[in-house]
Amino acid sequence: MTQFETVEHDVLVIGAGGAGLRAAIEASAQGVSVGLVCKSLLGKAHTVMAEGGMAAALANVDERDSWKTHFADTMRGGYYINNWRMAQLHAQQAPDRVRELEAWGAVFDRTQNGKIMQRNFGGHAHPRLAHVGDRTGLEMIRTLQDHGIHQGIDVHMECTVSSLIKDGPRAVGAFGYTRELGKFKLFKAKAIVMATGGIGRAYKITSNSWEYTGDGQALAYHAGADLIDMEFVQFHPTGMVWPPSVRGILVTEGVRGEGGILKNSSGKRFMFDDIPDNYRSSTADTPEEGWKYVAKTDANARRPPELLTRDHVARCILKEVKEGRGSPHGGAFLDIAWIKEKISKSEAHIKKKLPSMYHQFKELAGIDITKEPMEVGPTTHYVMGGIRVNGESQMSTVPGLFAAGECAAGLHGANRLGGNSLSDLIVFGKLAGEHAAKFAKENSSIHIDNELVDQACQEALAPLDSPAGSQANNAYEIQYELQDLMQDNVGIIRNEDDILKAVDGVEKLKKRATTVHAPGNRQYNPGWHTALDLKNLLLVSEAVARSAVVRKESRGAHTRDDFPEKDDNFSHVNTVLRKQDDGNMQVVQEEIPPIPDELQQIIEDNK
Amino acid sequence: MANVTFRIWRGDKESGEFQEYQTVVTEGMVVLDAVHQIQAESANDLAVRWNCKAGKCGSCSAEVNGMPKLMCMTRLSDLDLDRPVTIEPMRAFPLMKDLVTDVSHNYRAKQKIKPFKPRKPDNADGSWNMAQEDVERVQEFRKCIECYLCQDVCHVLRDHHKHDEFIGPRFFVYNAALEMHPLDEEDRVEDLKKSQGIGYCNITKCCTKVCPEHITITDNAIIPLKERVVDRYYDPVKMVLYKLMGPKKKKS
């Protein structure tokens, strides 16, 4: 048997972005021993890339805001298939979680009277996003990291978990390898929190970092946990499109929150042309009204159509491009420089409010956003679906296995509102940590079967052990082919034929992936790591495609041109994926539990 | 489109050497793109750290043609591509493999710094009031992405290897962010002088020059901290006052 080191914790947290760090801090505060495993160095997780802010009804800028409005906005944005309990807890608890970050040292931008500043964002009725310029994610992760390192948490950096270990129905351990030397580690834990983020690397054009290979979703699925809503992948409307090497990098919605407008090649502001019915009463009639909303000079002004939900804005941009009115490199123009017509010292204002956007375009594209428009287009950004959890405890359908953040599902329904992900991390990170600690206290003894560990070892070593030669497959090649397959067939606009092509294509790639060979040894070998991550990418790609087939309607981020309308048959169901005994993926649709009257009333009151 | 030669450091703790790779460079590519392309085409096991590829995570620090840089923010069009482009790991830290170094010194250094200690909340809901102009000074320091390029270029670490006595520019910036935080009440001056080695810095400003976030490390962070040390330990009047009255509570 290959050697491995055994490490024991009461609670093991896998992933050290906002959700994982917050979970670890909470579990530690409950008095249990905590281990935190992260694929990268601590503080580098994808959370650093979040820009615009975290949504919380602090009501610092507009006193009409309340958790109820935030709840109603989240449900409407998610097309009412959200887990309503999660949407409620999220809206209620986000303000406390944001204030807690301030108590731990976060330095948010301020209002005139010294409170935490809040900005406008798509789908939010009021200015709601606490922020720090356009680097809010960095502020969050650094605050949690700098607080977390003094809480007695054992951090296992640059360590990747490759399998979960179960004892009967219960998750009791995780097996992984260290990047530096390729040494194996067995983590024994009474409770495990998955906080591994998203799946963006399954697509060619993405705003996500390399770590986003769907590890948590895939590991949980293989351990028997349900996945839900995997058809809902958010394509953020504004990613960079030029030059090619930066295609997909995020351009924050904050640009539009600060007054940025979208124009086509003939200079037309096209977003006014198509406003969905359910947002018509809350959207500005004229550009002038839209500006008053952005500039906060008229409390009754309604938001400009650029601040409609992400799914809608992404489709509108795509339409302009498809109909030949796109920008030179296949996007639309996003113009913030125009605000010079409205405010003096606009250049300084833009640099102050959007420093990293200024920097990013200046350095990577040679564009000065204070003077000229940006070219932007949709980019794979976020997965609303993921591990099914209990709304209160965040426990998955596998006892002892919890999930929080992007890898968990429910809060966002069919489409996530901007700003709701950072608040998701801290609200549900805390709850997951708290309940994992409780579970660990109540369920002590664990047993790990050595045979399972041996099997995990062999699976991890397979790419290195498999023979090289002409039959061997290169993990990078398969990954690129998968990214093309998903981009082309399960992208923003889908139809049955394309999706089935993807399902079929993934099957073929899965076969080829079994003979992947990674040259070199176990020491810091990206070829080996890519080969292991590839298995997870293939699984989540299959999950997205198979879920997309069965939702024969268009809802939120899931748009089918063969079923272009919402369909009531699907308005109360989640798509559920489960691993069957024969290893195949079962797809079923299950009814969402009925929403309590008082919550339904809040939705009606805010329509 | 051009075929460009890259000289990339390959090796581990024991030994290493530059190896040459050729790859095709297209418009807009950054150094990290070229490294990835080479990795996928001909060196699957070439070790490199990266995460965001957007200049936000600070993972892909290396020395490009001898200059400490983020590989993801260094455009190839800004380099002379008629000659081989040299890429090597940060030299102030022990090598793990190829372009990856052991940066654990930085995590140990941060652990030593006393954490944030806020004054009592101003409001019943546990919140505080702060003016924008008061937080801006600290916000500059909090832009830091912890790429450690400032540490890499600092001669106290790079040439004199004072890793045990000197925390380095990044952590003076971190100290400054805490010390100048409008809510913080902790006192870190003694540590700065005694265990963190601020006296070793002789203000050559190399750190400021390489900072990809354009933080004015020396002028805005290190010099004000040095002044606090000087005030307490070397100004005879203030020294006596300090002995009599103890550390001054920060103004709230």
Side-chain angles (χ1 to χ4, degrees), chain A residues 40-46 48-51 96 99 101-111 113-117 131-135 138-139 142-143 145-147 149-150 157-158 180-181 201 207-211 242-246 249-250 352 355-357 359-366 474-476 480 517-521 523-528, chain B residues 11-13 26-30 33 36-37 39-41 43-59 72-75 78 95-98 100-103 107 110-118 123 125-136 138-148 170 174 177 181-183 212-214:
Chain A
S40 291
L41 295 172
L42 188 64
K44 306 296 183 192
H46 190 62
V48 296
M49 294 178 75
E51 294 166 352
D96 279 346
R99 283 191 280 264
L101 287 182
E102 184 155 275
W104 294 345
V107 185
F108 293 103
D109 287 352
R110 317 305 296 182
T111 64
N113 58 3
K115 301 205 174 295
I116 294 172
M117 182 66 164
H131 61 275
V132 186
D134 56 2
R135 54 164 192 84
L138 174 67
E139 189 71 15
R142 203 63 81 227
T143 301
Q145 173 190 351
D146 294 350
H147 180 74
I149 58 172
H150 297 287
M157 282 191 233
E158 296 203 304
E180 184 189 0
L181 297 170
R201 301 307 292 186
S207 64
N208 292 173
S209 76
W210 75 269
E211 294 185 290
W242 188 259
S245 70
V246 302
I249 294 180
L250 189 65
K352 164 78 195 142
S356 68
M357 285 306 102
H359 190 62
Q360 182 173 310
F361 273 89
K362 194 92 184 138
E363 309 261 329
L364 295 175
N474 174 329
Y476 293 93
Y480 295 152
H517 169 72
N521 58 30
Q523 192 189 350
Y524 218 114
N525 182 347
W528 180 38
Chain B
D12 55 22
K13 278 176 190 144
T26 52
E27 186 177 354
M29 270 172 72
V30 293
D33 291 319
H36 280 156
Q37 211 166 285
Q39 191 184 50
E41 288 165 359
N44 280 190
D45 62 345
L46 166 59
V48 56
R49 268 198 193 106
W50 71 287
N51 279 54
C52 75
K53 210 175 104 55
K56 294 189 166 67
C57 74
S59 301
C72 71
M73 296 301 278
T74 307
R75 295 179 77 179
D78 293 338
L95 186 66
M96 276 184 176
K97 188 185 159 196
D98 304 336
V100 175
T101 54
D102 175 358
V103 292
Y107 289 88
K110 182 180 262 189
Q111 195 79 44
K112 287 198 282 196
I113 298 166
K114 287 181 189 157
F116 177 62
K117 193 171 117 188
N123 307 309
D125 64 0
S127 67
W128 288 267
N129 301 328
M130 287 183 269
Q132 181 63 35
E133 54 265 36
D134 291 337
V135 301
E136 270 169 21
V138 176
Q139 284 181 332
E140 180 194 3
F141 305 139
R142 295 185 66 89
K143 285 195 300 186
C144 172
I145 57 173
E146 299 198 330
C147 64
Y148 309 130
R170 156 60 192 142
Y174 183 59
H181 193 302
L183 306 182
E213 285 293 315
H214 308 295

Side-chain angles (χ1 to χ4, degrees), chain A residues 21-83:
Chain A
L21 275 163
R22 188 63 191 82
I25 289 168
E26 191 60 27
S28 185
Q30 303 290 329
V32 299
S33 71
V34 181
L36 178 62
V37 182
C38 46
K39 239 166 137 174
S40 291
L41 295 172
L42 188 64
K44 306 296 183 192
H46 190 62
T47 303
V48 296
M49 294 178 75
E51 294 166 352
M54 56 195 94
L58 297 161
N60 288 351
V61 174
D62 190 327
E63 60 189 21
R64 291 172 296 181
D65 203 8
S66 70
W67 78 261
K68 292 178 178 174
T69 325
H70 190 185
F71 166 76
D73 287 346
T74 301
M75 293 297 291
R76 176 169 48 184
Y79 294 79
Y80 304 109
I81 61 160
N82 320 53
N83 177 325

Side-chain angles (χ1 to χ4, degrees), chain A residues 44 76 106 175 219 232 240 246 319-320 363 391 474 573:
Chain A
K44 306 296 183 192
R76 176 169 48 184
F175 180 85
L219 293 171
F232 297 110
M240 291 179 81
V246 302
K319 183 162 172 255
E320 293 302 307
E363 309 261 329
N474 174 329
V573 292

Side-chain angles (χ1 to χ4, degrees), chain A residues 265-281:
Chain A
S265 58
S266 57
K268 182 170 195 241
R269 195 169 163 188
F270 56 87
M271 287 303 298
F272 275 103
D273 296 349
D274 180 5
I275 295 164
D277 287 341
N278 60 338
Y279 282 99
R280 194 168 295 278
S281 64

Side-chain angles (χ1 to χ4, degrees), chain B residues 57-103:
Chain B
C57 74
S59 301
C60 64
S61 306
E63 299 184 8
V64 178
N65 287 345
M67 287 297 292
K69 293 274 188 193
L70 291 178
M71 287 189 278
C72 71
M73 296 301 278
T74 307
R75 295 179 77 179
L76 287 170
S77 55
D78 293 338
L79 304 174
D80 177 5
L81 300 181
D82 293 332
R83 294 192 305 177
V85 175
T86 303
I87 309 171
E88 56 195 308
M90 289 193 284
R91 294 299 187 187
F93 303 111
L95 186 66
M96 276 184 176
K97 188 185 159 196
D98 304 336
L99 300 176
V100 175
T101 54
D102 175 358
V103 292

Side-chain angles (χ1 to χ4, degrees), chain B:
Chain B
M1 296 260 280
N3 212 355
V4 174
T5 305
F6 290 84
R7 291 175 71 235
I8 300 178
W9 186 264
R10 300 297 309 263
D12 55 22
K13 278 176 190 144
E14 274 78 49
S15 63
E17 59 181 358
F18 282 106
Q19 277 188 29
E20 292 204 351
Y21 300 90
Q22 305 255 323
T23 198
V24 174
V25 167
T26 52
E27 186 177 354
M29 270 172 72
V30 293
V31 171
L32 186 61
D33 291 319
V35 171
H36 280 156
Q37 211 166 285
I38 289 163
Q39 191 184 50
E41 288 165 359
S42 53
N44 280 190
D45 62 345
L46 166 59
V48 56
R49 268 198 193 106
W50 71 287
N51 279 54
C52 75
K53 210 175 104 55
K56 294 189 166 67
C57 74
S59 301
C60 64
S61 306
E63 299 184 8
V64 178
N65 287 345
M67 287 297 292
K69 293 274 188 193
L70 291 178
M71 287 189 278
C72 71
M73 296 301 278
T74 307
R75 295 179 77 179
L76 287 170
S77 55
D78 293 338
L79 304 174
D80 177 5
L81 300 181
D82 293 332
R83 294 192 305 177
V85 175
T86 303
I87 309 171
E88 56 195 308
M90 289 193 284
R91 294 299 187 187
F93 303 111
L95 186 66
M96 276 184 176
K97 188 185 159 196
D98 304 336
L99 300 176
V100 175
T101 54
D102 175 358
V103 292
S104 55
H105 159 74
N106 300 293
Y107 289 88
R108 286 193 298 275
K110 182 180 262 189
Q111 195 79 44
K112 287 198 282 196
I113 298 166
K114 287 181 189 157
F116 177 62
K117 193 171 117 188
R119 67 171 190 243
K120 283 207 181 78
D122 300 336
N123 307 309
D125 64 0
S127 67
W128 288 267
N129 301 328
M130 287 183 269
Q132 181 63 35
E133 54 265 36
D134 291 337
V135 301
E136 270 169 21
R137 191 177 186 195
V138 176
Q139 284 181 332
E140 180 194 3
F141 305 139
R142 295 185 66 89
K143 285 195 300 186
C144 172
I145 57 173
E146 299 198 330
C147 64
Y148 309 130
L149 289 175
C150 58
Q151 306 282 81
D152 183 45
V153 82
C154 176
H155 63 97
V156 183
L157 296 171
R158 188 184 180 99
D159 300 326
H160 304 291
H161 310 290
K162 298 277 186 197
H163 293 73
D164 293 335
E165 302 153 66
F166 181 73
I167 55 173
R170 156 60 192 142
F171 298 100
F172 295 126
V173 170
Y174 183 59
N175 262 296
L178 291 163
E179 284 286 296
M180 298 178 202
H181 193 302
L183 306 182
D184 182 75
E185 290 190 326
E186 189 55 89
D187 184 332
R188 299 172 187 82
V189 175
E190 184 179 347
D191 290 351
L192 279 165
K193 177 179 186 289
K194 292 187 176 159
S195 62
Q196 300 174 0
I198 195 167
Y200 282 116
C201 167
N202 55 357
I203 346 185
T204 51
K205 301 196 180 185
C206 307
C207 50
T208 305
K209 268 185 211 137
V210 301
C211 177
E213 285 293 315
H214 308 295
I215 300 170
T216 31
I217 301 174
T218 320
D219 290 354
N220 289 356
I222 298 181
I223 292 175
L225 291 178
K226 276 178 170 278
E227 283 169 354
R228 289 180 189 208
V229 171
V230 169
D231 280 355
R232 180 161 315 165
Y233 294 97
Y234 303 100
D235 179 322
V237 179
K238 286 189 175 157
M239 230 163 72
V240 172
L241 279 174
Y242 177 75
K243 289 229 158 104
L244 288 172
M245 320 199 29
K248 185 172 66 176
K249 278 264 160 122
K250 280 183 223 168
K251 67 174 167 55
S252 56

